[in-house]
Amino acid sequence: IIIFLLSPMVGFSQIKVNEDSVNYYFCNILNEYRSEITDHTLSIEKTLKLFTDKWAKYMYTNNYCGHGDGENDFTNRVFGYQGLSRSPHSAVENCFIWDFNYNGSYEYMTNLTKDEIEYLDFLEKKIGKNYSNKDIAWFIFLVWKGSPNHNNALLLDNLNKYYLTTYVVDTKISFSYVAFSDRSEEHTSELQSPCNLVCRLLLEKK
């Protein structure tokens, strides 16, 4: 089994987003991007919703970006999740938390073109004010595409199902994505957790 790991506020109101709509746009964006290197597309797996919902909310509540440790470690969470009919043969988690009161640091986004960085900056300023579910999908995609390790996770060839949760409260957005393969031919007996595939919180104060 191969596991890939990619790295409280009171009185604020959660901004409602349409998860079905965000996933619809994100799925189309991601599969078009994946089509450049693989014929394997991803489909939305709603049984993962409780899993990603819980982690997106946990990261927001604890102002934390990562894959957990101890009982909260991704390996323990994904193989202990009861929502799946069987354990995945391989799985990947991408997650991020972003505060729009800060300026994002784009220095690490080596995979993005100048136009993509400009569009990401435009979306960052738009989200939290007047935005659509499509805007959120594009923002999340570009943040992960720009980070080499997160980008690699989006392009893994052997995955076939995923779910994405977006948790927005005022100016802060937390998003959690899990993709997996239920193809038995992908199974191996070795568990691998590359330490360099981590989620990073990259924010700069104004």
Side-chain angles (χ1 to χ4, degrees), residues 1-196:
I1 300 171
I2 303 175
I3 295 289
F4 298 90
L5 301 183
L6 291 180
S7 162
M9 301 179 70
V10 178
F12 291 87
S13 59
Q14 181 180 357
I15 298 173
K16 297 297 184 181
V17 297
N18 187 317
E19 297 287 358
D20 289 340
S21 180
V22 172
N23 272 284
Y24 169 79
Y25 287 114
F26 185 83
C27 189
N28 288 336
I29 294 167
L30 181 56
N31 280 328
E32 182 175 355
Y33 180 49
R34 285 171 59 87
S35 69
E36 299 174 8
I37 66 165
T38 179
D39 293 330
H40 292 163
T41 59
L42 288 173
S43 61
I44 300 168
E45 178 56 61
K46 287 192 174 182
T47 59
L48 288 169
K49 176 174 169 55
L50 291 178
F51 184 91
T52 54
D53 281 0
K54 183 177 180 180
W55 196 242
K57 186 173 182 179
Y58 175 89
M59 289 196 303
Y60 171 85
T61 303
N62 293 277
N63 196 31
Y64 168 81
C65 181
H67 305 279
D69 51 37
E71 292 183 358
N72 282 330
D73 177 78
F74 175 57
T75 304
N76 293 327
R77 285 186 287 114
V78 74
F79 286 108
Y81 181 56
Q82 301 300 313
L84 297 175
S85 59
R86 60 180 179 176
S87 294
H89 298 294
S90 58
V92 60
E93 177 178 66
N94 267 1
C95 51
F96 222 89
I97 183 170
W98 197 284
D99 191 333
F100 297 105
N101 279 329
Y102 295 84
N103 286 325
S105 173
Y106 303 131
E107 295 178 358
Y108 75 99
M109 295 188 177
T110 56
N111 289 337
L112 298 184
T113 65
K114 181 180 177 181
D115 287 344
E116 286 174 329
I117 290 177
E118 289 178 354
Y119 187 49
L120 180 60
D121 185 60
F122 166 78
L123 291 173
E124 181 182 6
K125 292 179 173 62
K126 187 178 182 182
I127 294 176
K129 297 178 182 178
N130 180 23
Y131 62 90
S132 66
N133 294 301
K134 186 176 182 179
D135 290 334
I136 292 177
W138 268 107
F139 177 81
I140 294 172
F141 170 74
L142 289 174
V143 166
W144 281 335
K145 180 187 177 184
S147 169
N149 290 330
H150 292 88
N151 182 65
N152 289 341
L154 295 177
L155 293 174
L156 286 172
D157 185 57
N158 65 328
L159 305 178
N160 63 336
K161 296 182 179 180
Y162 91 93
Y163 197 80
L164 167 69
T165 287
T166 306
Y167 191 79
V168 184
V169 182
D170 288 332
T171 63
K172 186 182 290 185
I173 181 173
S174 173
F175 35 100
S176 175
Y177 159 95
V178 170
F180 71 94
S181 170
D182 60 3
R183 302 186 184 102
S184 59
E185 64 268 21
E186 304 294 347
H187 178 75
T188 67
S189 60
E190 184 178 1
L191 178 65
Q192 301 178 12
S193 300
C195 62
N196 64 315

